[in-house]
């Protein structure tokens, strides 16, 4: 009988029965896996996050991330990584060494930079402004969240979901409200996956059919660009270098994200001479970083941390931030069209989010539905790419003001 | 109330900063384009024209050859003549 008792204590049954929240979290993890695998919602990140949730909620597995207070020794001192690994397990070692230090999001940004082509933006530079207007949702939700009782740091972390940029949302949350990292990462990536639903929904209520029929190529023929690029390769190489230096002077706190993004882009544009670096940044490094980021972010979602009212507010607030950001971009285009002869399709503003290139693809599909000859992808990519810069700058402002 | 004031302040400062930075992106981009157009314009376009004139009507194939040579040689190689063997 004693042996049976010991066997029972060895298993996780007792803990699971004592805290049904574990079962609920395992169901949430399974649902997220379903979304990632079956529905293909951002599977590259949602699958590791979902599995991290499951790992963290297996009692006795010691894979859940413990709160920062557990490793804080006071007076600005913390337990070392060996102690963290020894006391709390390998997931905490990964989290506190790679995530809490803010290491992985910039590394992922380097890979994103190496996958990004600034060409469409450089060919349509004026459209880059709409990447700024589409950051409106970040600040509107920041204000709303404060009115609902969030602290300024928590509200900023919630608002940054509106930038539609996973690494930026994670980086900002690590710096400002690390206890909300799990739900914010889930909300950010879920809504990025839902861009094909959210953009058409907002466009439906804010754009007229006449506006959606604005043909950008026809406009280009009527009002051609004043300057044509004679050597795009040289421009693409010089651009990240000059931009990186200028931005670092204006918003130094955005440098970890934007600096790495621009470095990644530079090694892509240099080409064959540094092809190995570019391949590493977009291949092995990006993939490894994604695995560790996803698993450890998922592991922050233990039942005690995740199952509360704030999580629901984050899910609702994240959607609002997304929708307001898209709305901000569309309104900016409408205002521009009032004063400009060269009309712009409002869908170009809707893609000021930094969900690249999904937002552009979705906007292009909407335009093609209304007019099969109206290909606006390259124009949307301009505001879309500038949205990446815009959201990183917004994050830099929030971090420098609030941290 | 203090936090709300801070949030309003962040709305103003944040949006202005983002607009200023993206305005800089536009300005810097334009300056780089003008500089490059003036001092280091691409030579490939001229090569394509020369090859097109010299060889004949199949422009798509020639453009593909020139582009391939350009990519493989990282812009250093030039197509001066194409002969069918």
């Amino acid at each position: 009988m004693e042996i049976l008792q010991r066997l029972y204590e060895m298993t996780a049954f007792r803990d699971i029965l004592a805290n049904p929240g574990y079962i609920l979290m395992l169901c949430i993890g399974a649902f997220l896996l379903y979304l990632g695998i079956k529905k293909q919602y951002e599977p590259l990140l949602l699958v590791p996050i979902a599995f991290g949730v499951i790992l963290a909620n297996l009692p006795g597995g010691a894979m859940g991330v413990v709160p920062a207070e557990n490793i804080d020794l006071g007076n600005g001192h913390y337990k070392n990584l060996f102690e963290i690994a020894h006391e709390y397990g390998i997931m905490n070692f990964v989290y506190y060494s790679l995530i809490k230090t803010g290491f992985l999001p910039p590394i992922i940004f380097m890979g994103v930079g190496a996958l990004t082509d600034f060409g469409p933006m450089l060919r349509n530079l004026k459209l880059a402004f709409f990447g700024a207007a589409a950051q409106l949702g970040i600040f509107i939700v920041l204000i709303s969240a404060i009115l609902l009782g969030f602290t300024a740091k928590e509200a900023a972390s919630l608002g940054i979901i509106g930038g539609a940029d996973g690494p930026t949302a994670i980086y900002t949350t690590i710096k400002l409200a690390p206890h909300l990292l799990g739900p914010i990462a889930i909300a950010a990536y879920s809504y990025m996956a839902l861009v094909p639903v959210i953009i058409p929904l907002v466009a439906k209520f804010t754009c007229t059919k006449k506006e959606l029929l604005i043909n950008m190529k026809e406009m280009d023929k009527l009002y051609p660009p004043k300057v044509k690029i004679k050597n795009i390769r040289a421009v693409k190489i010089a651009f990240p270098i000059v931009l990186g230096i200028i931005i670092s002077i204006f918003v130094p706190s955005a440098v970890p994200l934007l600096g790495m993004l621009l470095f990644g882009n530079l090694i892509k544009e240099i080409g064959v001479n540094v092809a190995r670096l570019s391949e590493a940044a977009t291949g092995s490094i990006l993939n490894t970083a994604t695995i560790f980021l996803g698993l450890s972010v998922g592991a922050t979602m233990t039942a005690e941390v995740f199952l509360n009212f704030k999580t629901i507010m984050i899910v609702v607030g994240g959607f609002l931030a997304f929708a307001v950001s898209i709305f901000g971009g569309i309104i900016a285009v409408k205002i521009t069209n009032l004063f400009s002869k060269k009309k712009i399709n409002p869908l170009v503003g809707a893609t000021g989010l930094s969900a690249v290139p999904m937002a552009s693809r979705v906007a292009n599909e909407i335009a093609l539905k209304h007019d099969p000859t109206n290909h606006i992808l390259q124009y949307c990519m301009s505001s879309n790419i500038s949205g990446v810069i815009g959201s990183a700058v917004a994050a830099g402002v929030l971090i420098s003001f609030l941290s | 109330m203090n936090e709300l004031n801070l949030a309003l302040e962040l709305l103003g400062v944040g949006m202005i900063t983002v607009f200023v930075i993206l305005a800089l992106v536009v300005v810097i981009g334009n300056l780089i384009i003008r500089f490059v157009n003036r001092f280091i314009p691409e030579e490939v376009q001229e090569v394509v024209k020369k090859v097109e004139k010299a060889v004949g009507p199949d422009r798509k194939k020639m453009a593909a050859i020139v582009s391939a040579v350009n990519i493989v040689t990282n812009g250093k190689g030039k197509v001066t003549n194409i002969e069918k063997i």
Side-chain angles (χ1 to χ4, degrees), chain A residues 121-122 125 128-129 131-132 139 143 146 151-152 227-228 230-231 233 239 242-243 246 250 272-273 393 401-402, chain B residues 3 6-7 9-11 14-15 18 21-26 28-30 32-34 36-37 40 42 74:
Chain A
M121 191 177 83
L122 290 163
L125 269 169
F129 275 116
F139 299 101
I143 295 169
I146 284 176
T151 65
V227 183
K228 283 192 176 174
K230 290 181 184 170
N231 187 348
R233 186 167 176 268
F239 184 71
V242 179
L243 186 68
I246 301 287
F250 279 84
V272 286
N273 290 340
V393 170
F401 266 73
L402 297 172
Chain B
E3 295 221 314
L6 178 64
E9 194 182 323
L10 277 170
L11 170 69
M15 287 306 287
V18 174
I21 294 295
L22 287 176
L24 278 172
V25 167
V26 175
I28 291 165
N30 273 319
I32 292 171
I33 289 167
R34 284 169 198 274
V36 167
N37 281 357
I40 36 175
E42 201 173 25
N74 199 22

Side-chain angles (χ1 to χ4, degrees), chain A residues 140-289:
Chain A
I140 296 295
V141 169
L142 164 71
I143 295 169
S144 312
I146 284 176
L147 290 173
L148 287 169
F150 282 80
T151 65
K153 288 182 177 182
E154 290 172 341
S157 302
L158 171 53
I160 201 70
I161 296 173
D165 195 317
T168 303
I170 289 172
Y171 186 77
T172 310
T173 309
I174 292 165
K175 296 285 177 192
L176 299 179
H179 56 288
L180 298 180
L181 183 59
I184 283 176
I186 285 285
Y189 281 105
S190 302
Y191 290 132
M192 279 166 67
L194 287 174
V195 158
V197 178
I198 302 174
I199 288 183
L201 185 74
V202 178
K204 188 181 169 185
F205 290 108
T206 52
C207 303
T208 63
K209 193 173 180 183
K210 191 183 168 191
E211 286 171 330
L212 294 174
L213 282 169
I214 293 173
N215 192 312
M216 298 294 288
K217 283 191 177 165
E218 291 299 322
M219 285 294 156
D220 264 355
K221 281 179 191 168
L222 286 173
Y223 307 99
K226 286 174 189 166
V227 183
K228 283 192 176 174
I229 305 171
K230 290 181 184 170
N231 187 348
I232 186 71
R233 186 167 176 268
V235 174
K236 282 183 178 178
I237 289 174
F239 184 71
I241 301 168
V242 179
L243 186 68
I245 293 167
I246 301 287
I247 288 182
S248 67
I249 293 167
F250 279 84
V251 197
S253 49
V255 172
L257 287 173
L258 275 176
M260 294 303 274
L261 178 91
L262 296 171
F263 169 70
N265 187 256
L266 178 66
I267 56 176
K268 170 190 175 279
E269 296 303 343
I270 290 172
V272 286
N273 290 340
V274 290
R276 282 162 55 193
L277 299 185
S278 178
E279 281 164 19
T282 55
S284 49
I285 292 176
L286 183 60
N287 294 338
T288 310

Side-chain angles (χ1 to χ4, degrees), chain A residues 269-336:
Chain A
E269 296 303 343
I270 290 172
V272 286
N273 290 340
V274 290
R276 282 162 55 193
L277 299 185
S278 178
E279 281 164 19
T282 55
S284 49
I285 292 176
L286 183 60
N287 294 338
T288 310
T290 304
I291 288 173
F292 284 128
L293 184 87
L295 281 175
S296 46
V297 164
T300 61
M301 286 189 281
T302 52
E304 303 83 43
V305 173
F306 192 80
L307 299 176
N308 58 52
F309 184 66
K310 273 190 176 166
T311 302
I312 298 167
M313 296 303 294
I314 287 167
V315 172
V316 176
F319 176 81
L320 274 177
F322 247 73
V324 175
S325 287
I326 295 167
F327 175 74
I330 289 173
I331 289 297
V333 171
K334 286 179 177 243
I335 293 169
T336 309

Side-chain angles (χ1 to χ4, degrees), chain B residues 18-63:
Chain B
V18 174
F19 267 105
V20 167
I21 294 295
L22 287 176
L24 278 172
V25 167
V26 175
V27 172
I28 291 165
N30 273 319
L31 287 175
I32 292 171
I33 289 167
R34 284 169 198 274
F35 180 85
V36 167
N37 281 357
R38 184 160 183 189
F39 296 106
I40 36 175
E42 201 173 25
E43 293 171 4
V44 176
Q45 296 295 332
E46 292 169 19
V47 176
V48 175
K49 282 176 188 168
K50 280 181 192 171
V51 174
E52 280 173 359
K53 275 183 187 173
V55 183
D58 199 350
R59 300 173 67 182
K60 282 184 183 173
K61 279 183 187 172
M62 275 179 282

Side-chain angles (χ1 to χ4, degrees), chain A residues 60-73:
Chain A
M63 293 292 266
V65 171
V66 298
E69 297 85 59
N70 292 34
I71 64 149
D72 193 350
L73 299 173

